[in-house]
Amino acid sequence: MEWREVAPWMEFRIFFRDGAPVGISQADPYRRHPEIADRAADLSGALNRFTRHIAGALPIPTCAADVAIGHGDPAEPWLIELNPFDARLDAALFDGAGTGAFDGSFRYVR
């Protein structure tokens, strides 16, 4: 794959449990990124479409998919890596301690 520059606002984490998506969060939970807030609806739509696209092809059904999203219109996400969904995983803007925290929402710092 060719090298792509990825700004912090372009990185997201999609959480899957047993192959079903349970939430999407910006990967950097400590900063507000105006680029996300300005395009929240478009980004959420693109990430949800991508989530449906990859859900059936995951080699690890309970995992977090780190993705980046492009500058273009429409935004095009691409997979960076998959991580096991366990206690060591950074839950980003979800409370990783409780399974109820994953409510299927798209979260970003507002």
Side-chain angles (χ1 to χ4, degrees):
M1 177 182 284
E2 69 181 64
W3 176 259
R4 296 182 189 183
E5 192 67 34
V6 178
W9 74 267
M10 298 167 69
E11 294 184 68
F12 296 88
R13 181 164 273 184
I14 305 170
F15 298 92
F16 293 91
R17 183 168 284 123
D18 297 324
V22 293
I24 301 171
S25 175
Q26 75 181 59
D28 174 12
Y30 305 107
R31 294 187 357 204
R32 180 184 182 279
H33 296 282
E35 299 90 345
I36 297 174
D38 293 345
R39 299 176 59 194
D42 291 336
L43 293 172
S44 177
L47 289 163
N48 277 296
R49 283 188 299 278
F50 184 75
T51 298
R52 288 189 300 273
H53 177 71
I54 67 169
L58 294 170
I60 308 168
T62 300
C63 66
D66 290 341
V67 302
I69 196 154
H71 292 282
D73 184 25
E76 296 179 29
W78 68 90
L79 182 65
I80 297 172
E81 68 181 6
L82 295 175
N83 296 289
F85 193 165
D86 62 21
R88 298 169 293 178
L89 181 71
D90 181 352
L93 292 172
F94 290 94
D95 174 14
T99 58
F102 292 94
D103 59 2
S105 64
F106 171 61
R107 295 188 181 184
Y108 62 96
V109 177
R110 296 171 196 261

